[in-house]
Amino acid sequence: PLHYLKNQGNQDRSSARNKGIAHARGELLVFFDSDVLVPNGYFHEHWKIHAKEVPAVAVGFVENIAKGDGRIKAMKEGADLKPDIHRDFRHYTNTLYRTTAAPREYRLVEETNGFKHFTHPIDNFTLPDMVVTHNLSIRAEYARQVDGFDERFQGWGYEDTHFGAKLIAAGCYVIPLPTGVFRIKHPLREHDEAVREQDRKRNKTLYGELLNEEWQRGMGKRNEEEFGEEFREEFMEAQK
């Protein structure tokens, strides 16, 4: 059965997700953004990872499409369409996803062998940046072990990156999936863009302040040779 939880008034994403974590009855949690279309076989790919009983954060990818894209109607009518996951920034980007002094092409999944060798920041990309909640899954026990999302993050940005950092600290592996979702993109108004940028800057500062907590809780303790003090210094530098 489907259990629908409705918030009283608008709440931030961290608060809403924590409510879902608290009320979830199953063993697997799957997080989405609003306005996504899920292809056939999507949940099966998630479960194949978690059925191995590896402490994993399974991350899917996204293809952004416009509101009037014909594939939206086709999928609602039953068409078996798949998103082009290589349009996701983690597969390929030649734009500045975040400010960097060395713009270049990135193929993060390929360059790190599916995140297995993401042992040092690539410019200002780090392993927790790969944890994006527009579509990912985690066993409920691991999400609860790290106390879910930190509700000090208000507005847009970094609450999922911080969630990822905590899960990595707890020994979870970030595993990319061969699937993803279509996400219907709506144009932001100029005022909304300004507010989002303010949120991002404020939350980035908070994220940086909280990083030491994650290291103290054992970030990378599953492999101290990979996640040692040298990586910690580079990791902190990448967030500036």
Side-chain angles (χ1 to χ4, degrees):
L2 177 66
H3 298 276
Y4 177 75
L5 302 176
K6 183 177 180 179
N7 291 322
Q8 298 300 316
N10 187 26
Q11 295 185 10
D12 282 297
R13 285 176 283 189
S14 293
S15 176
R17 290 167 180 158
N18 284 340
K19 179 180 287 187
I21 293 171
H23 287 82
R25 301 179 182 181
E27 58 185 294
L28 188 64
L29 303 174
V30 182
F31 295 97
F32 292 110
D33 272 359
S34 59
D35 287 351
V36 299
L37 298 173
V38 178
N40 292 335
Y42 174 84
F43 294 103
H44 177 67
E45 294 295 339
H46 278 272
W47 186 247
K48 283 199 301 185
I49 297 297
H50 298 288
K52 299 176 183 178
E53 298 187 357
V54 173
V57 187
V59 295
F61 299 97
V62 67
E63 179 184 356
N64 292 320
I65 59 176
K67 186 177 181 180
D69 194 298
R71 288 172 290 182
I72 299 173
K73 181 179 179 182
M75 287 190 70
K76 290 180 178 179
E77 293 175 350
D80 185 14
L81 302 177
K82 307 294 184 185
D84 181 359
I85 63 174
H86 291 89
R87 292 181 177 272
D88 189 291
F89 81 92
R90 291 163 292 181
H91 268 289
Y92 171 77
T93 182
N94 60 0
T95 59
L96 303 185
Y97 183 70
R98 293 184 180 167
T99 302
T100 176
R104 54 174 281 249
E105 293 184 352
Y106 299 94
R107 300 179 186 274
L108 298 171
V109 176
E110 179 182 334
E111 291 177 32
T112 62
N113 190 21
F115 307 149
K116 293 178 182 177
H117 303 146
F118 214 136
T119 57
H120 290 77
I122 300 175
D123 284 348
N124 57 0
F125 292 101
T126 64
L127 183 57
D129 291 319
M130 304 301 100
V131 180
V132 185
T133 45
H134 55 52
N135 69 118
L136 68 77
S137 63
I138 182 77
R139 282 188 178 271
E141 61 180 294
Y142 302 132
R144 291 169 180 147
Q145 179 181 335
V146 300
D147 298 323
F149 293 84
D150 195 314
E151 297 183 19
R152 286 173 287 184
F153 289 93
Q154 300 291 308
W156 186 87
Y158 283 92
E159 80 289 338
D160 47 3
T161 310
H162 182 250
F163 183 58
K166 293 197 296 182
L167 290 168
I168 294 167
C172 290
Y173 296 89
V174 182
I175 300 178
L177 295 171
T179 188
V181 299
F182 293 101
R183 179 171 58 183
I184 305 170
K185 294 293 286 184
H186 301 276
L188 288 175
R189 294 172 295 183
E190 184 176 349
H191 171 72
D192 293 336
E193 290 180 351
V195 171
R196 174 177 283 197
E197 181 60 17
Q198 291 174 358
D199 290 344
R200 188 194 70 80
K201 290 180 178 179
R202 183 184 63 251
N203 287 339
K204 181 178 180 180
T205 299
L206 174 60
Y207 177 58
E209 292 171 351
L210 295 175
L211 285 181
N212 277 329
E213 290 185 15
E214 312 317 330
W215 290 103
Q216 291 168 6
R217 292 178 63 172
M219 186 172 191
K221 64 184 179 182
R222 71 169 190 262
N223 191 334
E224 293 181 358
E225 292 182 358
E226 288 187 355
F227 297 95
E229 184 63 24
E230 179 184 357
F231 176 61
R232 177 182 184 278
E233 292 175 358
E234 294 184 21
F235 185 99
M236 298 289 285
E237 183 66 25
Q239 306 307 314
K240 294 181 180 179

